[in-house]
Amino acid sequence: MSKVKIFADSTSDLPAGWVERYDIGLVPLYVVFGDETFRDGIDITPLEIYRRVEAEGQLPKTTAPSPKDFMSAFGPYIDQGMDIVYISLSSKLSSTYQNALIAAAEYPEGRVHIVDSLTLCSGIGMLVMKAVRLAEQGWGAAEIAGQVAALRSQVETQFVIDTLDYLYKGGRCSGMQNIMGSLLQIRPVLKMVDGNIIPAYKVRGRKEKAVQLMLDNALADKDQMDEDLILVAHTLAEEEAHRLSVILREQTGVREVAVAEAGCVISSHCGPHTVAIMYARKSAAS
């Protein structure tokens, strides 16, 4: 049986050092300011994005890797006789998944398996780590891809957004919504459902109130949590994310609670001081 290489893209937002530790292939998306194009996490950082947005008043655009980008990433491993499982950003948010499929079709059937995560950020990271563990246990690429696809609906992902400005500038809410949200101090909490970002609820008042509600919702689900991993992701909210990770570690039976800084794509759309909790529910057979 061929060895399996697990791939993700830069929106998977794994904790620092995990890509190297677990030998995960990573294909970057792009961040575009005018006629300047940067590879997410390689040529630009979230902090640099925020500085440019503040100075220029315009958000960058984000674009998917091309089929050629995927072929350049996959090719060396195919040449070594390895099979590939790539777990993509939700197909409902980006053309990344479709471009990966185009690339996969250039290789012999069964060598490259593409899985639509139907989520984003460290929610993808949850699925990536499941795939890594299965590969370590000797599972084949087709079996890993099938198992990851079966787990997608069990991943819970929620975000607390600190400001509506980035959503507004990115065309994701109207000007009136932005003004009213600011005046009323509305803190939107978003979640992933079937590959789409939807409002879970809106909290009026301080951001801490919304974060506490998100935490309470997660803790209410603790008996249904998969016991392997919880990921807490953030954009320039390290202290807050660490606090959440400590509480989750103390009050759940999950073996590992890790903190990840979200990359440039998530930062471009959600803005600074966003915080998120991702975990997987146990399967029905558990």
Side-chain angles (χ1 to χ4, degrees):
M1 182 179 292
S2 299
K3 186 177 179 182
V4 179
K5 175 77 173 182
I6 305 302
F7 267 88
D9 54 61
S10 59
T11 63
S12 57
D13 294 337
L14 288 159
W18 283 25
V19 170
E20 294 78 15
R21 184 188 310 173
Y22 298 107
D23 192 28
I24 298 164
L26 210 61
V27 182
L29 275 75
Y30 294 97
V31 177
V32 182
F33 278 100
D35 58 1
E36 296 180 274
T37 300
F38 305 92
R39 292 170 296 174
D40 180 7
I42 298 173
D43 305 320
I44 194 168
T45 66
L47 185 57
E48 290 168 335
I49 286 176
Y50 297 138
R51 287 171 175 167
R52 288 195 64 157
V53 171
E54 184 175 355
E56 301 171 14
Q58 296 292 326
L59 289 183
K61 295 180 179 179
T62 57
T63 62
S66 68
K68 183 178 179 180
D69 289 330
F70 283 108
M71 292 180 68
S72 295
F74 297 161
Y77 296 95
I78 295 293
D79 292 343
Q80 294 173 37
M82 301 177 72
D83 292 337
I84 288 170
V85 175
Y86 164 67
I87 304 168
S88 82
L89 171 63
S90 173
S91 63
K92 297 181 181 180
L93 302 177
S94 169
S95 61
T96 300
Y97 171 71
Q98 187 61 43
N99 288 350
L101 286 178
I102 294 170
E106 296 297 317
Y107 298 103
E109 186 176 355
R111 299 299 307 279
V112 180
H113 297 262
I114 310 298
V115 182
D116 182 356
S117 73
L118 295 177
T119 188
L120 79 173
C121 194
S122 298
I124 304 171
M126 298 290 300
L127 296 173
V128 169
M129 292 311 301
K130 287 289 186 182
V132 165
R133 299 305 186 196
L134 294 174
E136 290 174 344
Q137 294 169 27
W139 286 45
E143 291 76 19
I144 293 172
Q147 183 70 7
V148 170
L151 290 171
R152 292 177 299 193
S153 62
Q154 296 165 217
V155 175
E156 296 288 335
T157 300
Q158 290 195 2
F159 300 82
V160 172
I161 305 295
D162 186 49
T163 173
L164 289 171
D165 289 347
Y166 277 63
L167 293 174
Y168 165 59
K169 290 176 182 177
R172 288 166 176 80
C173 74
S174 71
M176 183 57 68
Q177 286 174 320
N178 185 51
I179 292 169
M180 293 303 294
S182 298
L183 290 175
L184 298 174
Q185 289 189 300
I186 298 297
R187 307 290 182 177
V189 181
L190 308 177
K191 68 182 297 184
M192 296 298 301
V193 175
D194 296 328
N196 290 305
I197 304 172
I198 68 167
Y201 36 80
K202 296 179 181 179
V203 178
R204 184 175 297 178
R206 295 173 59 84
K207 177 190 172 188
E208 291 78 7
K209 183 178 177 182
V211 172
Q212 185 62 48
L213 181 56
M214 178 177 65
L215 175 62
D216 290 344
N217 286 346
L219 291 174
D221 219 14
K222 65 181 181 180
D223 291 338
Q224 299 303 317
M225 285 182 180
D226 181 273
E227 296 177 353
D228 284 341
L229 176 66
I230 295 173
L231 288 173
V232 180
H234 71 93
T235 61
L236 295 188
E238 184 174 5
E239 183 175 337
E240 190 167 35
H242 177 72
R243 181 183 68 84
L244 291 175
S245 73
V246 169
I247 295 170
L248 288 163
R249 190 175 297 113
E250 291 174 346
Q251 298 191 29
T252 71
V254 175
R255 283 185 281 272
E256 184 169 16
V257 181
V259 174
E261 182 177 8
C264 297
V265 171
I266 299 300
S267 298
S268 295
H269 295 302
C270 293
H273 314 304
T274 295
V275 66
I277 297 174
M278 291 87 166
Y279 60 91
R281 291 175 177 271
K282 294 177 182 177
S283 64
S286 297

